[in-house]
Amino acid sequence: MTAQEAVFRILRYNPERDASRRYETYRVKIDNRMTVLDALEDIKHEQDASLSFRRSCRSGICGSCAMKVNSLAKLACKTRVVTEVENHGEVLVEPMDNMPLIRDLVVDMNEFWREIDRGTPWLEWDNTLEGSSKENLLTNEQQQVSGRLADCIMCGCCFSDCVSRIFDKNFAGPASLAKVHRLVADPRDKVGANRVPALVGLGLWACTHCYFCWSQCPRDVRPVAAISVLRALSFKQGDESHGARHVNAFMNSIERTGMLNEATLYLRTMGWTTIRDFDLILKMAVKGKAPLPFPRPVPKIDEIRSIFRLAHEVKEK
Amino acid sequence: MIKHDVIVVGAGLAGLRAAIEAREKGADVAVLSKLHPVRSHSDQAQGGINAPLGEDDSWEKHTFDTIKGSDYLADQDAVEVMCKDAPRAIIELEHWGALFTRFDNGRIAQRPFGGAGFPRTCFAADKTGHVLQTTIFEQSRKNGVQMYEEWFATSLVVEDNVCKGLTAIEIVTGEVHAVEAKAVILAAGGAGQVYNKTSNSLSTTGDGIAMAYNAGIPIEDMEFVQFHPTTLYGSNILVSEGARGEGGYLVNAQGERFMKKYAPDKMELAPRDIVARAIETEITEGRGFANEYVHLDLRHLGEAKINERLPTIRELAIYFAGVDPVKEPIPIQPAQHYTMGGVPTGMNGVTPVKGLYAAGECACISVHGANRLGGNSLLDTVVFGKRAGAKAAEYAKEASATGFPEKPLQNEQKRIETLLNRKDGVKASEIKRAMGSTMFDKVGIFRQKRDGETAVKNVAALKRQIETVSVMDSSRKFNTSLIETLELGFELDLAEVIVAGALARKESRGAHHRTDYPKRDDDKWLKHTLAVRTADGPKLSYKPVTITRFKPEARGY
């Protein structure tokens, strides 16, 4: 492709000058290989020195240049301009979400780091190893799960685009839980599976499985998959939080009736605390929106139940 | 005023290792870094970290390889310390959680690297730096090391040869602070950005070395600049030596494995200075592609091995060069990679100034001499970071606070205020571009008198220009243009020292190659360069190399 021009629409905000956020448009000569970071550097050095953004390694490993490009969180250095132009006609560049804005494309990541810290994000090793002149013997297979999760560069893309985090500030977020799984999966970690009971407090069940953390991760860490594994572990350890009960109620409803009955789902998840929402339920019932908690099974329910029986048998094996 | 026993400048491997050690020794320690620690340049190391773990290997052999690799400029007592401590350092990192690639028997795997007689390089695929930096950052959190993230140190405060602390900008507010400390450890990395073609991050601007130089400390061996043989053509993103360690070939446009002409025994696994010169020679003599690059061919390794051992290289090549190494050779060219010189230190990080220590790439102990072996820099950071941390903590315990003078803070505030308020002037980016190309073209892989003299003139002119530089952004908060401008000042100071050292050294040794003096000259030049700042530019003097057990001999591979 020959040189052409791309339009960059960039969110600008300087707390010393601007009352509110605004957008500014720049035109940049681009080529096939140019990244969004290259273009931002070009704008800063040729057109507007006041444009602020973080950057360092320019090779996708330091995690500095995370920002929203055409509304999705990405590393600017790993995002090619031509692709964005082809898909969107222009390059809209904005700061990451779910974190306060400092200036232009720079957000305050303290909130993100506080959430990482909630997961006690370090390996607790055995002090008797100190002075030991031998390494732990481990196979590459034993390190495989931790290895993938340790690829995380803490760029914040998953946190920015996390849907659950918008509504639930107690949810520690995808990167934090991925880090916990990295440690739980490491045979050397002294705490290991004992890290799991604390996770309900970190919002283990808040994730809605939207998969943005998977799709937006520049290192293919797949935090949502980590969250699923941690949930299963928590379940095994006798988790009786609302989240775990919801999963149970879900299964139970299907096994018994072949369908999802919102009323039994709600009752079984919330238990006696359902009574707190009595007002709302009554209103819904009046409008015909609340199903009765006495569902009739679907025809041929036996077939569904036999699937469940088989699943239970396989699990026991 | 901010006050600590020990302040560490820089949060890469050396800085964090120093901080952990100082804290374990009971010091009140804080780390100040212009980046969040996980963004540090240590994170970008790929290929590995050396330690003589193998049964047939030994610290003596590692020491010899390192000294021969250094072209006999390394101080041999320091190299011995490093190689003796290497196994302990690796085991410590493993215990802390580092995910090293393993042999089938569960032990830490090792791969061959350039200039090494044994497969001695431990690694985590091709992301060793990331794995180690993450591990050591985790342990620093566990340890409760306090961090000043995104604080940019601007000057050291030294009075009567005693370090009292430093001044720094809190980037988020733009405020200039005095930071008082009984001991300061410089661990701020190398100066790769002085060159326009470099594998280093945009933040690797030599701040620590330049601050020491500006404080009147003579800095050592700055003309020894390592050029990595294999960086991606175009972006100069690093392609790990691990790629050759795993068996990759270097091939010119005639399809010839040309290393057989330059290093018939070691071939692609000769030390970096030799391989970089070989590639550059092939290109200048017309056997490269487009007069710019040669090929690194990994195809014969097969997809499975590439995916297991070199996944990052594959990803980077596909993404940044549009080439899948499984199917096509990678276009590569040499680029600046490592600063062998730096702040002169002893084996415990001690510098000529009381209370000032240095470790990592910004220090010059010297364990790398005229050419560093691949896999020795990560080792240097953790071995000497620990020692500097311990020594600084010990010193801080004994030393009494002598107070922080008012003048330096006021001076820095005034200097920065002036810079911010200058409306018209030269753009920092223009000066930087000119500096980068002068350095690469005139003081690069091959050097000679005439080019050196041109570089002296060019750099002097750029130093005059920066006196009238305009930041072009007068706001305080998160002013990245201000930081870039201050960094450029540091870079120019060091460029001047590199040029002076290179022009004066009339021999070829390791990475310093003079086409007009193509031989090593031990009679006249087996000595370290020291450059001290004066009003007329750097003034050079020399000091002897410490030689213990290995007499300098011819260096063939």
Side-chain angles (χ1 to χ4, degrees):
Chain A
M1 194 180 70
T2 51
Q4 59 173 65
E5 214 176 50
V7 174
F8 280 75
R9 203 149 54 88
I10 302 179
L11 186 138
R12 301 300 310 270
Y13 173 69
N14 180 343
E16 293 164 59
R17 307 241 162 97
D18 302 321
S20 59
R21 304 172 183 207
R22 58 195 171 82
Y23 288 86
E24 210 154 305
T25 303
Y26 304 89
R27 289 170 186 281
V28 180
K29 276 215 177 71
I30 63 164
D31 62 38
N32 211 9
R33 301 230 70 82
M34 190 180 221
T35 65
V36 171
L37 179 62
D38 294 333
L40 292 176
E41 289 273 298
D42 196 73
I43 292 167
K44 184 171 180 66
H45 294 144
E46 302 305 327
Q47 302 185 40
D48 188 346
S50 72
L51 177 65
S52 286
F53 51 91
R54 292 189 180 99
R55 86 288 179 270
S56 186
C57 79
R58 82 219 139 80
S59 56
I61 189 76
C62 81
S64 298
C65 65
M67 55 186 72
K68 281 197 304 175
V69 182
N70 286 319
S71 304
L72 289 170
K74 294 176 177 184
L75 292 182
C77 72
K78 271 189 101 177
T79 305
R80 206 167 286 147
V81 176
V82 271
T83 318
E84 293 298 319
V85 174
E86 273 164 22
N87 294 335
H88 302 274
E90 62 164 13
V91 189
L92 173 66
V93 189
E94 297 165 299
M96 284 195 286
D97 282 330
N98 279 331
M99 286 165 271
L101 181 59
I102 293 174
R103 180 181 169 175
D104 296 340
L105 303 170
V106 179
V107 294
D108 178 355
M109 289 192 72
N110 280 319
E111 212 169 293
F112 169 81
W113 285 109
R114 272 197 298 276
E115 297 302 338
I116 298 291
D117 277 350
R118 282 174 70 199
T120 37
W122 50 76
L123 189 97
E124 291 284 3
W125 46 284
D126 195 336
N127 275 312
T128 58
L129 286 175
E130 199 168 12
S132 158
S133 62
K134 287 276 185 308
E135 72 265 47
N136 297 285
L137 295 181
L138 284 175
T139 62
N140 290 326
E141 287 67 39
Q142 281 175 298
Q143 296 191 124
Q144 205 168 17
V145 174
S146 291
R148 169 193 284 284
L149 294 160
D151 277 349
C152 173
I153 55 173
M154 300 281 165
C155 61
C157 283
C158 61
F159 194 79
S160 164
D161 285 10
C162 177
V163 177
S164 300
R165 176 72 192 182
I166 302 171
F167 302 103
D168 187 350
K169 295 293 179 218
N170 182 50
F171 179 41
S176 183
L177 290 171
K179 184 76 167 182
V180 174
H181 187 207
R182 176 257 172 273
L183 295 162
V184 168
D186 193 320
R188 294 170 297 183
D189 186 44
K190 228 171 37 171
V191 192
N194 292 332
R195 291 175 182 269
V196 176
L199 298 183
V200 171
L202 266 65
L204 178 64
W205 298 96
C207 165
T208 60
H209 284 179
C210 73
Y211 277 73
F212 270 110
C213 62
W214 179 318
S215 66
Q216 291 322 108
C217 176
R219 303 292 302 157
D220 197 24
V221 171
R222 308 178 186 175
V224 61
I227 291 171
S228 295
V229 176
L230 292 175
R231 282 179 174 182
L233 280 174
S234 186
F235 211 83
K236 265 193 205 146
Q237 292 184 4
D239 181 350
E240 285 187 3
S241 67
H242 287 152
R245 282 161 58 165
H246 185 72
V247 172
N248 250 334
F250 213 100
M251 284 203 307
N252 192 278
S253 177
I254 305 275
E255 188 170 7
R256 279 173 31 155
T257 69
M259 351 174 254
L260 215 51
N261 179 278
E262 289 89 344
T264 53
L265 200 62
Y266 201 85
L267 276 166
R268 281 177 167 273
T269 303
M270 303 306 283
W272 289 109
T273 57
T274 305
I275 207 144
R276 286 192 213 138
D277 296 328
F278 190 69
D279 205 30
L280 177 73
I281 293 166
L282 204 65
K283 275 186 206 157
M284 286 172 69
V286 168
K287 303 233 170 179
K289 301 276 186 196
L292 284 173
F294 316 108
R296 256 189 307 184
V298 293
K300 297 189 184 170
I301 182 69
D302 283 347
E303 288 180 13
I304 289 172
R305 286 178 187 161
S306 67
I307 295 172
F308 269 84
R309 262 198 305 279
L310 196 66
H312 288 307
E313 277 171 31
V314 169
K315 201 174 128 197
E316 271 155 35
K317 272 180 198 164
Chain B
M1 172 144 52
I2 293 155
K3 229 173 167 174
H4 293 280
D5 287 347
V6 180
I7 282 279
V8 184
V9 184
L13 285 174
L16 291 183
R17 187 63 193 86
I20 290 171
E21 195 64 16
R23 186 156 164 96
E24 272 177 9
K25 294 276 183 291
D28 154 36
V29 56
V31 176
L32 184 145
S33 168
K34 63 180 176 179
L35 304 172
H36 186 282
V38 303
R39 320 276 180 235
S40 300
H41 184 61
S42 297
D43 203 60
Q44 274 172 263
Q46 295 175 346
I49 175 165
N50 294 341
L53 301 178
E55 274 175 24
D56 300 332
D57 206 356
S58 67
W59 69 263
E60 289 94 339
K61 289 173 185 164
H62 185 185
T63 302
F64 173 71
D65 287 343
T66 301
I67 289 164
K68 185 179 172 191
S70 82
D71 221 347
Y72 294 91
L73 191 69
D75 289 312
Q76 301 191 359
D77 52 346
V79 180
E80 282 180 24
V81 165
M82 178 173 83
C83 299
K84 278 182 189 162
D85 199 29
R88 183 208 57 77
I90 300 291
I91 302 303
E92 174 178 85
L93 290 163
E94 196 278 335
H95 289 175
W96 284 358
L99 292 151
F100 287 109
T101 300
R102 305 291 179 139
F103 286 131
D104 288 342
N105 65 7
R107 305 287 306 269
I108 294 172
Q110 296 188 286
R111 62 163 53 129
F113 244 46
F118 284 84
R120 178 184 293 144
T121 306
C122 312
F123 58 100
D126 52 0
K127 37 202 163 189
T128 315
H130 172 70
V131 162
L132 299 189
Q133 178 70 14
T134 305
T135 301
I136 219 157
F137 173 63
E138 287 171 13
Q139 293 302 312
S140 75
R141 299 302 287 161
K142 178 182 175 181
N143 210 289
V145 172
Q146 198 183 333
M147 303 279 177
Y148 293 90
E149 295 146 15
E150 297 187 327
W151 283 54
F152 180 76
T154 64
S155 73
L156 286 175
V157 176
V158 175
E159 268 190 352
D160 304 324
N161 209 42
V162 178
C163 184
K164 315 247 162 161
L166 47 88
T167 58
I169 300 175
E170 183 181 8
I171 297 174
V172 69
T173 63
E175 212 179 315
V176 186
H177 294 270
V179 180
E180 185 179 340
K182 293 179 192 165
V184 172
I185 303 174
L186 293 173
Q193 282 291 320
V194 169
Y195 286 82
N196 62 351
K197 287 183 186 167
T198 173
S199 66
N200 286 188
S201 74
L202 295 164
S203 314
T204 312
T205 51
D207 313 345
I209 308 171
M211 282 195 295
Y213 178 62
N214 291 342
I217 299 169
I219 55 174
E220 185 173 340
D221 286 346
M222 287 300 290
E223 66 268 34
F224 294 100
V225 176
Q226 179 160 82
F227 295 87
H228 197 289
T230 60
T231 73
L232 287 183
Y233 166 57
S235 59
N236 296 122
I237 287 168
L238 179 64
V239 178
S240 167
E241 189 162 312
R244 283 171 287 135
E246 297 294 344
Y249 298 149
L250 288 170
V251 181
N252 64 17
Q254 297 166 353
E256 178 194 15
R257 270 181 80 188
F258 55 85
M259 280 313 297
K260 65 175 184 258
K261 292 183 288 189
Y262 304 89
D265 287 349
K266 290 270 180 192
M267 294 293 285
E268 280 85 357
L269 286 177
R272 289 175 177 173
D273 57 334
I274 291 168
V275 183
R277 275 195 294 276
I279 296 172
E280 196 67 7
T281 304
E282 291 298 302
I283 295 169
T284 49
E285 291 182 0
R287 293 184 295 277
F289 298 88
N291 288 323
E292 290 277 4
Y293 60 89
V294 296
H295 276 157
L296 173 62
D297 197 346
L298 306 180
R299 288 174 297 181
H300 56 285
L301 303 181
E303 185 166 4
K305 189 165 189 184
I306 291 173
N307 285 345
E308 189 205 324
R309 295 289 176 89
L310 304 164
T312 312
I313 296 311
R314 187 176 185 192
E315 192 191 327
L316 291 172
I318 291 173
Y319 195 77
F320 291 97
V323 163
D324 183 352
V326 170
K327 300 183 190 120
E328 292 165 87
I330 311 170
I332 55 94
Q333 62 180 193
Q336 192 284 349
H337 183 60
Y338 189 84
T339 307
M340 262 84 70
V343 184
T345 69
M347 280 174 290
N348 294 312
V350 176
T351 73
V353 167
K354 228 174 149 191
L356 182 70
Y357 302 81
E361 192 173 344
C362 86
C364 183
I365 304 176
S366 147
V367 285
H368 309 305
N371 174 65
R372 175 175 72 75
L373 289 190
N376 268 352
S377 65
L378 295 184
L379 180 61
D380 170 6
T381 63
V382 289
V383 167
F384 292 104
K386 179 179 193 280
R387 296 172 74 97
K391 194 74 188 171
E394 187 189 303
Y395 169 81
K397 209 175 273 175
E398 305 292 317
S400 49
T402 50
F404 194 91
E406 270 174 37
K407 203 89 187 137
L409 178 63
Q410 290 166 357
N411 288 348
E412 277 305 270
Q413 284 168 335
K414 220 170 97 189
R415 177 169 80 103
I416 285 155
E417 201 66 20
T418 314
L419 203 52
L420 285 172
N421 290 328
R422 192 181 296 134
K423 289 272 182 297
D424 304 305
V426 201
K427 272 195 215 169
S429 55
E430 276 170 25
I431 301 177
K432 171 136 188 174
R433 240 193 315 267
M435 171 186 69
S437 56
T438 285
M439 293 304 287
F440 198 86
D441 299 341
K442 309 291 180 201
V443 206
I445 298 167
F446 290 106
R447 302 159 173 190
Q448 49 142 309
K449 182 162 181 269
R450 200 159 27 122
D451 283 349
E453 286 166 352
T454 311
V456 168
K457 267 186 230 144
N458 289 358
V459 172
L462 295 171
K463 286 204 76 166
R464 281 193 298 278
Q465 279 186 28
I466 202 173
E467 296 299 318
T468 60
V469 73
S470 170
V471 173
M472 319 257 257
D473 175 9
S474 59
S475 42
R476 301 297 187 270
K477 292 186 178 170
F478 228 97
N479 187 336
T480 50
S481 285
L482 172 66
I483 303 300
E484 283 179 24
T485 306
L486 293 168
E487 287 170 340
L488 180 64
F490 288 154
E491 288 161 351
L492 273 174
D493 289 335
L494 298 183
E496 196 180 26
V497 176
I498 295 169
V499 175
L503 190 58
R505 187 174 280 272
K506 295 184 179 65
E507 66 156 352
S508 290
R509 183 184 297 274
H512 170 71
H513 194 93
R514 290 276 302 248
T515 51
D516 43 358
Y517 299 94
K519 292 230 162 65
R520 193 176 82 195
D521 183 351
D522 287 336
D523 290 341
K524 287 191 194 130
W525 290 102
L526 183 58
K527 55 190 181 184
H528 296 292
T529 307
L530 290 172
V532 70
R533 187 183 186 111
T534 72
D536 308 321
K539 190 169 164 279
L540 303 182
S541 60
Y542 295 90
K543 70 172 184 185
V545 176
T546 308
I547 289 167
T548 54
R549 57 175 72 206
F550 300 109
K551 287 236 156 52
E553 50 186 58
R555 178 174 175 251
Y557 287 96

